[in-house]
Amino acid sequence: MESRIRPKIAICYDFDKTLSPDDMQTFTLIPSFGIDKAAFWKASNELAVENRMDKNLAWMYELIRFSRFNDRSLRRDYFRQAGANVPLYQGVETWFDAVNACAAQSGLDAEHYIISSGLKEIIEGSPIARHFARIYASSYYYNADDVAVWPAQAINYTNKTQYIFRIAKGFLEEYDDRVNDSMPDGDLRIPYENIVYIGDSETDIPCMRLVKSKGGYSIGVYDPIKNNRSRVYQLFNDNRINFYAPADYSNESELFRFMQKIICDIAAKEQIKAEKQRLAAPAEAYCRQANIEAIAATYGNSLSGKKAPEL
């Protein structure tokens, strides 16, 4: 018996303050240079304002500048080592396997993606990196000595949305311009309604709004210790998100309960699609046959190629 390809779902995550309690640079890189984090972000933001500069490009430049000032090269393996020490919210390390198992029980294959303004190389060094099909985040270009010399990707809140389109269409490489091509919904690798986006703040609004407007699901999370819900309340009131919950990823959490419901909803819709496709084949065949018979009845012998008898 031929095995049926299971429908896919994609769960997309911001990283800083969504999976981790703070900015990854604040926890790792900045302290390693002996720099006060408040001073670093003040200098970075001032650089951006004074030069009409993207804020992500500004902090990426500041890291290079501080590294040279401290005579410490920004090597790729240095970033990845820093990533091993990035703290994560409760339950994050077991979340992915639990979601995969829940999806599989419902006849779905789950894929996980990062879409973050943080640094890709740090995320790649984190203990959860292996769970992601792709990590879309800001990154550096490295010279022959594997030292960061120039930004390769700078991801901000507006250009995050392109990665939703890449995931849906299957054009996953950052340089693939086919992401801009029109594609019928039936040809999508992952339908938009099978995409979930999880984020924490205003910087996630474009992705949240895009996913939700196309029938997918957006979830806002907040720090369970600080318990500041003002952002998620505003996002919910503005119709940007479907759900909000504390950033607790354990199996007993409200967030996991929402994810179970979303998976069940997607699975039910996929089952309805499959039933409609099953019914469509004989219905279309009937219509084709009926059209052929109607044409034959209308034109009669002229279709047979025989000459009509003379009167």
mmCIF file of all heavy atoms in Angstrom, residues 8-15 18-19 95-96 100 109-116 123 128-137 163-164 166-173 189-190 194-198:
data_model
loop_
_atom_site.group_PDB
_atom_site.id
_atom_site.type_symbol
_atom_site.label_atom_id
_atom_site.label_comp_id
_atom_site.label_asym_id
_atom_site.label_seq_id
_atom_site.Cartn_x
_atom_site.Cartn_y
_atom_site.Cartn_z
ATOM 1 N N LYS A 8 2.291 19.243 6.164
ATOM 2 C CA LYS A 8 3.292 19.883 7.010
ATOM 3 C C LYS A 8 2.712 21.101 7.722
ATOM 4 O O LYS A 8 1.829 21.783 7.192
ATOM 5 C CB LYS A 8 4.497 20.327 6.174
ATOM 6 C CG LYS A 8 5.303 19.190 5.576
ATOM 7 C CD LYS A 8 6.493 19.727 4.802
ATOM 8 C CE LYS A 8 7.318 18.596 4.196
ATOM 9 N NZ LYS A 8 7.951 17.780 5.246
ATOM 10 N N ILE A 9 3.238 21.351 8.909
ATOM 11 C CA ILE A 9 2.979 22.612 9.589
ATOM 12 C C ILE A 9 4.333 23.235 9.928
ATOM 13 O O ILE A 9 5.334 22.519 10.098
ATOM 14 C CB ILE A 9 2.131 22.441 10.871
ATOM 15 C CG1 ILE A 9 2.880 21.621 11.938
ATOM 16 C CG2 ILE A 9 0.797 21.805 10.553
ATOM 17 C CD1 ILE A 9 2.189 21.635 13.288
ATOM 18 N N ALA A 10 4.371 24.553 9.983
ATOM 19 C CA ALA A 10 5.601 25.271 10.328
ATOM 20 C C ALA A 10 5.337 26.129 11.555
ATOM 21 O O ALA A 10 4.372 26.901 11.574
ATOM 22 C CB ALA A 10 6.060 26.135 9.162
ATOM 23 N N ILE A 11 6.183 25.977 12.582
ATOM 24 C CA ILE A 11 6.115 26.843 13.754
ATOM 25 C C ILE A 11 7.332 27.749 13.709
ATOM 26 O O ILE A 11 8.469 27.274 13.698
ATOM 27 C CB ILE A 11 6.067 26.055 15.071
ATOM 28 C CG1 ILE A 11 4.866 25.099 15.080
ATOM 29 C CG2 ILE A 11 5.941 27.001 16.258
ATOM 30 C CD1 ILE A 11 5.201 23.676 14.851
ATOM 31 N N CYS A 12 7.099 29.047 13.635
ATOM 32 C CA CYS A 12 8.167 30.044 13.501
ATOM 33 C C CYS A 12 8.292 30.823 14.811
ATOM 34 O O CYS A 12 7.286 31.213 15.406
ATOM 35 C CB CYS A 12 7.856 31.006 12.361
ATOM 36 S SG CYS A 12 7.504 30.185 10.785
ATOM 37 N N TYR A 13 9.520 31.060 15.218
ATOM 38 C CA TYR A 13 9.776 31.698 16.508
ATOM 39 C C TYR A 13 10.703 32.901 16.352
ATOM 40 O O TYR A 13 11.705 32.838 15.634
ATOM 41 C CB TYR A 13 10.476 30.739 17.473
ATOM 42 C CG TYR A 13 9.862 29.377 17.618
ATOM 43 C CD1 TYR A 13 10.114 28.376 16.687
ATOM 44 C CD2 TYR A 13 9.048 29.059 18.707
ATOM 45 C CE1 TYR A 13 9.567 27.109 16.820
ATOM 46 C CE2 TYR A 13 8.499 27.793 18.855
ATOM 47 C CZ TYR A 13 8.756 26.822 17.901
ATOM 48 O OH TYR A 13 8.215 25.562 18.030
ATOM 49 N N ASP A 14 10.391 33.977 17.037
ATOM 50 C CA ASP A 14 11.396 34.960 17.379
ATOM 51 C C ASP A 14 12.305 34.283 18.423
ATOM 52 O O ASP A 14 11.956 33.214 18.942
ATOM 53 C CB ASP A 14 10.714 36.201 17.948
ATOM 54 C CG ASP A 14 11.684 37.288 18.331
ATOM 55 O OD1 ASP A 14 12.690 37.467 17.629
ATOM 56 O OD2 ASP A 14 11.450 37.955 19.354
ATOM 57 N N PHE A 15 13.436 34.863 18.748
ATOM 58 C CA PHE A 15 14.319 34.221 19.736
ATOM 59 C C PHE A 15 14.413 35.036 21.021
ATOM 60 O O PHE A 15 13.975 34.583 22.079
ATOM 61 C CB PHE A 15 15.722 34.003 19.146
ATOM 62 C CG PHE A 15 16.575 33.072 19.981
ATOM 63 C CD1 PHE A 15 16.526 31.706 19.768
ATOM 64 C CD2 PHE A 15 17.408 33.565 20.976
ATOM 65 C CE1 PHE A 15 17.291 30.844 20.546
ATOM 66 C CE2 PHE A 15 18.177 32.720 21.761
ATOM 67 C CZ PHE A 15 18.120 31.358 21.535
ATOM 68 N N THR A 18 11.515 35.605 23.492
ATOM 69 C CA THR A 18 10.469 34.642 23.099
ATOM 70 C C THR A 18 10.867 33.253 23.563
ATOM 71 O O THR A 18 10.126 32.593 24.297
ATOM 72 C CB THR A 18 10.252 34.655 21.584
ATOM 73 O OG1 THR A 18 9.726 35.925 21.194
ATOM 74 C CG2 THR A 18 9.261 33.570 21.160
ATOM 75 N N LEU A 19 12.054 32.793 23.173
ATOM 76 C CA LEU A 19 12.604 31.528 23.670
ATOM 77 C C LEU A 19 13.621 31.765 24.779
ATOM 78 O O LEU A 19 13.848 30.889 25.622
ATOM 79 C CB LEU A 19 13.267 30.757 22.526
ATOM 80 C CG LEU A 19 12.347 30.330 21.376
ATOM 81 C CD1 LEU A 19 13.152 29.669 20.264
ATOM 82 C CD2 LEU A 19 11.253 29.391 21.867
ATOM 83 N N TRP A 95 10.311 21.168 24.377
ATOM 84 C CA TRP A 95 9.138 21.628 23.627
ATOM 85 C C TRP A 95 9.059 21.023 22.234
ATOM 86 O O TRP A 95 8.013 20.548 21.800
ATOM 87 C CB TRP A 95 9.169 23.150 23.560
ATOM 88 C CG TRP A 95 8.300 23.799 22.528
ATOM 89 C CD1 TRP A 95 8.645 24.112 21.235
ATOM 90 C CD2 TRP A 95 6.942 24.242 22.694
ATOM 91 N NE1 TRP A 95 7.604 24.734 20.593
ATOM 92 C CE2 TRP A 95 6.547 24.817 21.460
ATOM 93 C CE3 TRP A 95 6.035 24.210 23.750
ATOM 94 C CZ2 TRP A 95 5.280 25.365 21.263
ATOM 95 C CZ3 TRP A 95 4.772 24.751 23.558
ATOM 96 C CH2 TRP A 95 4.406 25.315 22.336
ATOM 97 N N PHE A 96 10.159 21.032 21.510
ATOM 98 C CA PHE A 96 10.141 20.670 20.091
ATOM 99 C C PHE A 96 9.772 19.203 19.883
ATOM 100 O O PHE A 96 8.955 18.877 19.019
ATOM 101 C CB PHE A 96 11.495 21.001 19.455
ATOM 102 C CG PHE A 96 11.894 22.429 19.661
ATOM 103 C CD1 PHE A 96 12.772 22.796 20.680
ATOM 104 C CD2 PHE A 96 11.362 23.432 18.857
ATOM 105 C CE1 PHE A 96 13.122 24.114 20.884
ATOM 106 C CE2 PHE A 96 11.704 24.760 19.058
ATOM 107 C CZ PHE A 96 12.582 25.096 20.073
ATOM 108 N N ASN A 100 6.409 17.899 18.041
ATOM 109 C CA ASN A 100 6.532 16.949 16.926
ATOM 110 C C ASN A 100 5.684 15.710 17.163
ATOM 111 O O ASN A 100 5.021 15.201 16.250
ATOM 112 C CB ASN A 100 7.996 16.546 16.736
ATOM 113 C CG ASN A 100 8.857 17.695 16.248
ATOM 114 O OD1 ASN A 100 8.350 18.727 15.824
ATOM 115 N ND2 ASN A 100 10.168 17.519 16.322
ATOM 116 N N ASP A 109 3.362 16.565 9.912
ATOM 117 C CA ASP A 109 4.793 16.714 10.145
ATOM 118 C C ASP A 109 5.066 18.159 10.541
ATOM 119 O O ASP A 109 4.699 19.084 9.809
ATOM 120 C CB ASP A 109 5.603 16.380 8.881
ATOM 121 C CG ASP A 109 5.768 14.886 8.680
ATOM 122 O OD1 ASP A 109 5.718 14.144 9.682
ATOM 123 O OD2 ASP A 109 5.939 14.462 7.523
ATOM 124 N N ALA A 110 5.705 18.352 11.699
ATOM 125 C CA ALA A 110 6.002 19.698 12.187
ATOM 126 C C ALA A 110 7.432 20.087 11.841
ATOM 127 O O ALA A 110 8.357 19.287 11.993
ATOM 128 C CB ALA A 110 5.785 19.781 13.693
ATOM 129 N N GLU A 111 7.609 21.316 11.362
ATOM 130 C CA GLU A 111 8.927 21.897 11.142
ATOM 131 C C GLU A 111 9.039 23.179 11.958
ATOM 132 O O GLU A 111 8.052 23.907 12.119
ATOM 133 C CB GLU A 111 9.153 22.208 9.657
ATOM 134 C CG GLU A 111 9.179 20.979 8.774
ATOM 135 C CD GLU A 111 9.419 21.315 7.303
ATOM 136 O OE1 GLU A 111 9.415 22.521 6.957
ATOM 137 O OE2 GLU A 111 9.609 20.370 6.511
ATOM 138 N N HIS A 112 10.240 23.450 12.463
ATOM 139 C CA HIS A 112 10.461 24.615 13.329
ATOM 140 C C HIS A 112 11.465 25.553 12.679
ATOM 141 O O HIS A 112 12.476 25.114 12.124
ATOM 142 C CB HIS A 112 10.964 24.169 14.698
ATOM 143 C CG HIS A 112 10.062 23.193 15.386
ATOM 144 N ND1 HIS A 112 9.035 23.578 16.221
ATOM 145 C CD2 HIS A 112 10.020 21.834 15.324
ATOM 146 C CE1 HIS A 112 8.405 22.494 16.663
ATOM 147 N NE2 HIS A 112 8.981 21.433 16.131
ATOM 148 N N TYR A 113 11.183 26.862 12.761
ATOM 149 C CA TYR A 113 12.033 27.875 12.141
ATOM 150 C C TYR A 113 12.261 29.036 13.112
ATOM 151 O O TYR A 113 11.344 29.417 13.854
ATOM 152 C CB TYR A 113 11.375 28.436 10.882
ATOM 153 C CG TYR A 113 11.203 27.432 9.769
ATOM 154 C CD1 TYR A 113 10.095 26.583 9.729
ATOM 155 C CD2 TYR A 113 12.145 27.330 8.746
ATOM 156 C CE1 TYR A 113 9.935 25.657 8.708
ATOM 157 C CE2 TYR A 113 11.986 26.415 7.712
ATOM 158 C CZ TYR A 113 10.882 25.573 7.704
ATOM 159 O OH TYR A 113 10.729 24.659 6.694
ATOM 160 N N ILE A 114 13.474 29.582 13.088
ATOM 161 C CA ILE A 114 13.766 30.828 13.795
ATOM 162 C C ILE A 114 13.713 31.972 12.793
ATOM 163 O O ILE A 114 14.282 31.891 11.701
ATOM 164 C CB ILE A 114 15.170 30.792 14.440
ATOM 165 C CG1 ILE A 114 15.192 29.848 15.651
ATOM 166 C CG2 ILE A 114 15.617 32.194 14.859
ATOM 167 C CD1 ILE A 114 14.441 30.365 16.859
ATOM 168 N N ILE A 115 13.029 33.070 13.157
ATOM 169 C CA ILE A 115 13.060 34.311 12.389
ATOM 170 C C ILE A 115 13.367 35.419 13.397
ATOM 171 O O ILE A 115 12.470 35.877 14.116
ATOM 172 C CB ILE A 115 11.743 34.585 11.656
ATOM 173 C CG1 ILE A 115 11.334 33.389 10.788
ATOM 174 C CG2 ILE A 115 11.857 35.840 10.804
ATOM 175 C CD1 ILE A 115 9.994 33.555 10.085
ATOM 176 N N SER A 116 14.636 35.833 13.479
ATOM 177 C CA SER A 116 15.081 36.678 14.579
ATOM 178 C C SER A 116 16.010 37.780 14.102
ATOM 179 O O SER A 116 16.761 37.608 13.133
ATOM 180 C CB SER A 116 15.817 35.811 15.611
ATOM 181 O OG SER A 116 16.466 36.613 16.588
ATOM 182 N N ILE A 123 22.721 31.639 17.921
ATOM 183 C CA ILE A 123 21.625 30.666 17.961
ATOM 184 C C ILE A 123 22.118 29.292 17.531
ATOM 185 O O ILE A 123 21.721 28.263 18.088
ATOM 186 C CB ILE A 123 20.452 31.137 17.087
ATOM 187 C CG1 ILE A 123 19.940 32.502 17.565
ATOM 188 C CG2 ILE A 123 19.312 30.125 17.116
ATOM 189 C CD1 ILE A 123 18.919 33.139 16.642
ATOM 190 N N ILE A 128 19.447 24.170 21.412
ATOM 191 C CA ILE A 128 18.222 23.833 20.683
ATOM 192 C C ILE A 128 18.382 24.000 19.172
ATOM 193 O O ILE A 128 17.426 23.770 18.423
ATOM 194 C CB ILE A 128 17.027 24.686 21.162
ATOM 195 C CG1 ILE A 128 17.320 26.187 20.989
ATOM 196 C CG2 ILE A 128 16.686 24.358 22.612
ATOM 197 C CD1 ILE A 128 16.126 27.081 21.302
ATOM 198 N N ALA A 129 19.572 24.369 18.697
ATOM 199 C CA ALA A 129 19.774 24.667 17.270
ATOM 200 C C ALA A 129 19.396 23.493 16.378
ATOM 201 O O ALA A 129 18.875 23.680 15.269
ATOM 202 C CB ALA A 129 21.220 25.078 17.021
ATOM 203 N N ARG A 130 19.626 22.287 16.844
ATOM 204 C CA ARG A 130 19.385 21.093 16.009
ATOM 205 C C ARG A 130 17.903 20.895 15.671
ATOM 206 O O ARG A 130 17.575 20.144 14.747
ATOM 207 C CB ARG A 130 19.914 19.854 16.737
ATOM 208 C CG ARG A 130 19.232 19.580 18.062
ATOM 209 C CD ARG A 130 19.880 18.434 18.816
ATOM 210 N NE ARG A 130 19.282 18.219 20.122
ATOM 211 C CZ ARG A 130 18.211 17.476 20.350
ATOM 212 N NH1 ARG A 130 17.611 16.863 19.320
ATOM 213 N NH2 ARG A 130 17.717 17.342 21.558
ATOM 214 N N HIS A 131 17.037 21.556 16.384
ATOM 215 C CA HIS A 131 15.599 21.353 16.158
ATOM 216 C C HIS A 131 15.056 22.173 14.984
ATOM 217 O O HIS A 131 13.919 21.933 14.550
ATOM 218 C CB HIS A 131 14.808 21.720 17.415
ATOM 219 C CG HIS A 131 15.063 20.817 18.589
ATOM 220 N ND1 HIS A 131 14.620 19.512 18.616
ATOM 221 C CD2 HIS A 131 15.725 21.041 19.757
ATOM 222 C CE1 HIS A 131 14.995 18.963 19.775
ATOM 223 N NE2 HIS A 131 15.657 19.861 20.470
ATOM 224 N N PHE A 132 15.834 23.125 14.476
ATOM 225 C CA PHE A 132 15.297 24.054 13.483
ATOM 226 C C PHE A 132 15.641 23.632 12.066
ATOM 227 O O PHE A 132 16.790 23.320 11.750
ATOM 228 C CB PHE A 132 15.811 25.471 13.753
ATOM 229 C CG PHE A 132 15.435 25.978 15.114
ATOM 230 C CD1 PHE A 132 16.396 26.169 16.090
ATOM 231 C CD2 PHE A 132 14.108 26.227 15.422
ATOM 232 C CE1 PHE A 132 16.052 26.610 17.353
ATOM 233 C CE2 PHE A 132 13.738 26.662 16.684
ATOM 234 C CZ PHE A 132 14.717 26.860 17.652
ATOM 235 N N ALA A 133 14.623 23.661 11.203
ATOM 236 C CA ALA A 133 14.853 23.394 9.785
ATOM 237 C C ALA A 133 15.698 24.500 9.175
ATOM 238 O O ALA A 133 16.548 24.246 8.313
ATOM 239 C CB ALA A 133 13.512 23.288 9.051
ATOM 240 N N ARG A 134 15.490 25.725 9.625
ATOM 241 C CA ARG A 134 16.281 26.876 9.202
ATOM 242 C C ARG A 134 16.348 27.883 10.344
ATOM 243 O O ARG A 134 15.384 28.041 11.105
ATOM 244 C CB ARG A 134 15.658 27.567 7.986
ATOM 245 C CG ARG A 134 15.813 26.810 6.688
ATOM 246 C CD ARG A 134 17.177 27.056 6.072
ATOM 247 N NE ARG A 134 17.404 26.203 4.934
ATOM 248 C CZ ARG A 134 18.159 26.529 3.887
ATOM 249 N NH1 ARG A 134 18.757 27.698 3.854
ATOM 250 N NH2 ARG A 134 18.319 25.683 2.898
ATOM 251 N N ILE A 135 17.483 28.576 10.427
ATOM 252 C CA ILE A 135 17.636 29.686 11.364
ATOM 253 C C ILE A 135 17.829 30.941 10.529
ATOM 254 O O ILE A 135 18.880 31.146 9.915
ATOM 255 C CB ILE A 135 18.832 29.479 12.310
ATOM 256 C CG1 ILE A 135 18.597 28.252 13.198
ATOM 257 C CG2 ILE A 135 19.057 30.727 13.172
ATOM 258 C CD1 ILE A 135 19.797 27.868 14.055
ATOM 259 N N TYR A 136 16.793 31.770 10.460
ATOM 260 C CA TYR A 136 16.882 33.044 9.760
ATOM 261 C C TYR A 136 17.148 34.131 10.794
ATOM 262 O O TYR A 136 16.292 34.416 11.642
ATOM 263 C CB TYR A 136 15.583 33.336 9.010
ATOM 264 C CG TYR A 136 15.296 32.380 7.879
ATOM 265 C CD1 TYR A 136 14.164 31.571 7.886
ATOM 266 C CD2 TYR A 136 16.157 32.290 6.788
ATOM 267 C CE1 TYR A 136 13.888 30.698 6.834
ATOM 268 C CE2 TYR A 136 15.899 31.420 5.729
ATOM 269 C CZ TYR A 136 14.764 30.634 5.766
ATOM 270 O OH TYR A 136 14.503 29.766 4.725
ATOM 271 N N ALA A 137 18.340 34.702 10.745
ATOM 272 C CA ALA A 137 18.728 35.712 11.725
ATOM 273 C C ALA A 137 19.852 36.552 11.153
ATOM 274 O O ALA A 137 20.436 36.224 10.106
ATOM 275 C CB ALA A 137 19.166 35.048 13.035
ATOM 276 N N TYR A 163 10.566 35.787 5.166
ATOM 277 C CA TYR A 163 10.879 34.401 5.515
ATOM 278 C C TYR A 163 9.606 33.572 5.700
ATOM 279 O O TYR A 163 9.638 32.352 5.522
ATOM 280 C CB TYR A 163 11.777 34.365 6.747
ATOM 281 C CG TYR A 163 13.067 35.111 6.481
ATOM 282 C CD1 TYR A 163 13.274 36.394 6.986
ATOM 283 C CD2 TYR A 163 14.041 34.563 5.651
ATOM 284 C CE1 TYR A 163 14.432 37.092 6.695
ATOM 285 C CE2 TYR A 163 15.203 35.265 5.353
ATOM 286 C CZ TYR A 163 15.395 36.526 5.875
ATOM 287 O OH TYR A 163 16.532 37.221 5.561
ATOM 288 N N ILE A 164 8.507 34.221 6.032
ATOM 289 C CA ILE A 164 7.220 33.519 6.039
ATOM 290 C C ILE A 164 6.897 33.059 4.617
ATOM 291 O O ILE A 164 6.490 31.909 4.388
ATOM 292 C CB ILE A 164 6.096 34.425 6.574
ATOM 293 C CG1 ILE A 164 6.396 34.893 8.009
ATOM 294 C CG2 ILE A 164 4.754 33.704 6.490
ATOM 295 C CD1 ILE A 164 6.435 33.792 9.041
ATOM 296 N N ARG A 166 9.068 32.556 2.196
ATOM 297 C CA ARG A 166 10.048 31.525 1.817
ATOM 298 C C ARG A 166 9.622 30.158 2.358
ATOM 299 O O ARG A 166 9.687 29.144 1.653
ATOM 300 C CB ARG A 166 11.438 31.885 2.360
ATOM 301 C CG ARG A 166 12.071 33.066 1.681
ATOM 302 C CD ARG A 166 13.559 33.189 1.990
ATOM 303 N NE ARG A 166 14.112 34.349 1.301
ATOM 304 C CZ ARG A 166 14.436 34.368 0.018
ATOM 305 N NH1 ARG A 166 14.258 33.282 -0.719
ATOM 306 N NH2 ARG A 166 14.937 35.456 -0.545
ATOM 307 N N ILE A 167 9.202 30.124 3.600
ATOM 308 C CA ILE A 167 8.797 28.861 4.219
ATOM 309 C C ILE A 167 7.570 28.292 3.512
ATOM 310 O O ILE A 167 7.491 27.097 3.229
ATOM 311 C CB ILE A 167 8.537 29.083 5.723
ATOM 312 C CG1 ILE A 167 9.861 29.389 6.445
ATOM 313 C CG2 ILE A 167 7.850 27.874 6.345
ATOM 314 C CD1 ILE A 167 9.676 30.001 7.817
ATOM 315 N N ALA A 168 6.602 29.157 3.213
ATOM 316 C CA ALA A 168 5.375 28.697 2.549
ATOM 317 C C ALA A 168 5.662 28.188 1.140
ATOM 318 O O ALA A 168 5.173 27.127 0.734
ATOM 319 C CB ALA A 168 4.349 29.824 2.508
ATOM 320 N N LYS A 169 6.494 28.924 0.401
ATOM 321 C CA LYS A 169 6.727 28.584 -1.010
ATOM 322 C C LYS A 169 7.819 27.538 -1.197
ATOM 323 O O LYS A 169 7.929 26.933 -2.276
ATOM 324 C CB LYS A 169 7.085 29.846 -1.791
ATOM 325 C CG LYS A 169 5.941 30.857 -1.857
ATOM 326 C CD LYS A 169 6.348 32.106 -2.637
ATOM 327 C CE LYS A 169 5.205 33.102 -2.705
ATOM 328 N NZ LYS A 169 5.564 34.323 -3.466
ATOM 329 N N GLY A 170 8.658 27.356 -0.177
ATOM 330 C CA GLY A 170 9.731 26.371 -0.285
ATOM 331 C C GLY A 170 11.013 26.913 -0.885
ATOM 332 O O GLY A 170 11.936 26.143 -1.160
ATOM 333 N N PHE A 171 11.118 28.219 -1.067
ATOM 334 C CA PHE A 171 12.350 28.847 -1.561
ATOM 335 C C PHE A 171 13.150 29.326 -0.350
ATOM 336 O O PHE A 171 13.138 30.503 0.012
ATOM 337 C CB PHE A 171 12.033 30.012 -2.501
ATOM 338 C CG PHE A 171 11.201 29.612 -3.685
ATOM 339 C CD1 PHE A 171 10.151 30.397 -4.124
ATOM 340 C CD2 PHE A 171 11.467 28.433 -4.374
ATOM 341 C CE1 PHE A 171 9.385 30.043 -5.224
ATOM 342 C CE2 PHE A 171 10.705 28.053 -5.479
ATOM 343 C CZ PHE A 171 9.663 28.855 -5.902
ATOM 344 N N LEU A 172 13.856 28.400 0.279
ATOM 345 C CA LEU A 172 14.408 28.648 1.607
ATOM 346 C C LEU A 172 15.725 29.411 1.618
ATOM 347 O O LEU A 172 16.091 29.993 2.642
ATOM 348 C CB LEU A 172 14.585 27.318 2.345
ATOM 349 C CG LEU A 172 13.300 26.501 2.552
ATOM 350 C CD1 LEU A 172 13.614 25.185 3.261
ATOM 351 C CD2 LEU A 172 12.259 27.288 3.343
ATOM 352 N N GLU A 173 16.454 29.421 0.507
ATOM 353 C CA GLU A 173 17.744 30.102 0.486
ATOM 354 C C GLU A 173 17.546 31.622 0.447
ATOM 355 O O GLU A 173 16.716 32.131 -0.318
ATOM 356 C CB GLU A 173 18.569 29.661 -0.723
ATOM 357 C CG GLU A 173 18.878 28.170 -0.745
ATOM 358 C CD GLU A 173 19.756 27.738 0.415
ATOM 359 O OE1 GLU A 173 20.419 28.603 1.028
ATOM 360 O OE2 GLU A 173 19.790 26.522 0.711
ATOM 361 N N ARG A 189 4.396 24.766 -0.556
ATOM 362 C CA ARG A 189 4.984 23.647 0.194
ATOM 363 C C ARG A 189 4.309 23.514 1.559
ATOM 364 O O ARG A 189 4.027 22.408 2.010
ATOM 365 C CB ARG A 189 6.484 23.874 0.377
ATOM 366 C CG ARG A 189 7.180 22.763 1.150
ATOM 367 C CD ARG A 189 8.679 22.978 1.178
ATOM 368 N NE ARG A 189 9.317 21.946 1.965
ATOM 369 C CZ ARG A 189 9.538 22.025 3.279
ATOM 370 N NH1 ARG A 189 9.177 23.120 3.930
ATOM 371 N NH2 ARG A 189 10.111 21.039 3.940
ATOM 372 N N ILE A 190 4.066 24.642 2.199
ATOM 373 C CA ILE A 190 3.321 24.667 3.469
ATOM 374 C C ILE A 190 2.275 25.765 3.364
ATOM 375 O O ILE A 190 2.621 26.946 3.227
ATOM 376 C CB ILE A 190 4.248 24.932 4.675
ATOM 377 C CG1 ILE A 190 5.340 23.868 4.772
ATOM 378 C CG2 ILE A 190 3.425 24.981 5.969
ATOM 379 C CD1 ILE A 190 6.306 24.060 5.930
ATOM 380 N N ASN A 194 -1.299 26.768 7.719
ATOM 381 C CA ASN A 194 -0.601 25.757 8.525
ATOM 382 C C ASN A 194 0.649 26.331 9.198
ATOM 383 O O ASN A 194 1.508 25.590 9.647
ATOM 384 C CB ASN A 194 -0.185 24.562 7.662
ATOM 385 C CG ASN A 194 -1.369 23.733 7.211
ATOM 386 O OD1 ASN A 194 -2.513 24.164 7.311
ATOM 387 N ND2 ASN A 194 -1.112 22.547 6.695
ATOM 388 N N ILE A 195 0.742 27.661 9.250
ATOM 389 C CA ILE A 195 1.902 28.320 9.851
ATOM 390 C C ILE A 195 1.505 28.954 11.179
ATOM 391 O O ILE A 195 0.441 29.556 11.302
ATOM 392 C CB ILE A 195 2.483 29.373 8.894
ATOM 393 C CG1 ILE A 195 3.024 28.689 7.623
ATOM 394 C CG2 ILE A 195 3.602 30.170 9.569
ATOM 395 C CD1 ILE A 195 3.576 29.657 6.588
ATOM 396 N N VAL A 196 2.374 28.795 12.161
ATOM 397 C CA VAL A 196 2.199 29.401 13.481
ATOM 398 C C VAL A 196 3.389 30.321 13.737
ATOM 399 O O VAL A 196 4.533 29.942 13.455
ATOM 400 C CB VAL A 196 2.144 28.336 14.593
ATOM 401 C CG1 VAL A 196 1.883 28.970 15.965
ATOM 402 C CG2 VAL A 196 1.095 27.272 14.275
ATOM 403 N N TYR A 197 3.132 31.532 14.227
ATOM 404 C CA TYR A 197 4.223 32.440 14.584
ATOM 405 C C TYR A 197 4.127 32.765 16.064
ATOM 406 O O TYR A 197 3.064 33.145 16.559
ATOM 407 C CB TYR A 197 4.161 33.732 13.762
ATOM 408 C CG TYR A 197 5.364 34.625 14.007
ATOM 409 C CD1 TYR A 197 6.517 34.468 13.247
ATOM 410 C CD2 TYR A 197 5.357 35.583 15.013
ATOM 411 C CE1 TYR A 197 7.634 35.250 13.481
ATOM 412 C CE2 TYR A 197 6.469 36.371 15.256
ATOM 413 C CZ TYR A 197 7.609 36.200 14.489
ATOM 414 O OH TYR A 197 8.718 36.965 14.738
ATOM 415 N N ILE A 198 5.262 32.625 16.762
ATOM 416 C CA ILE A 198 5.318 32.911 18.200
ATOM 417 C C ILE A 198 6.334 34.028 18.435
ATOM 418 O O ILE A 198 7.513 33.899 18.070
ATOM 419 C CB ILE A 198 5.714 31.657 19.006
ATOM 420 C CG1 ILE A 198 4.722 30.520 18.746
ATOM 421 C CG2 ILE A 198 5.758 31.977 20.498
ATOM 422 C CD1 ILE A 198 5.068 29.218 19.454
#
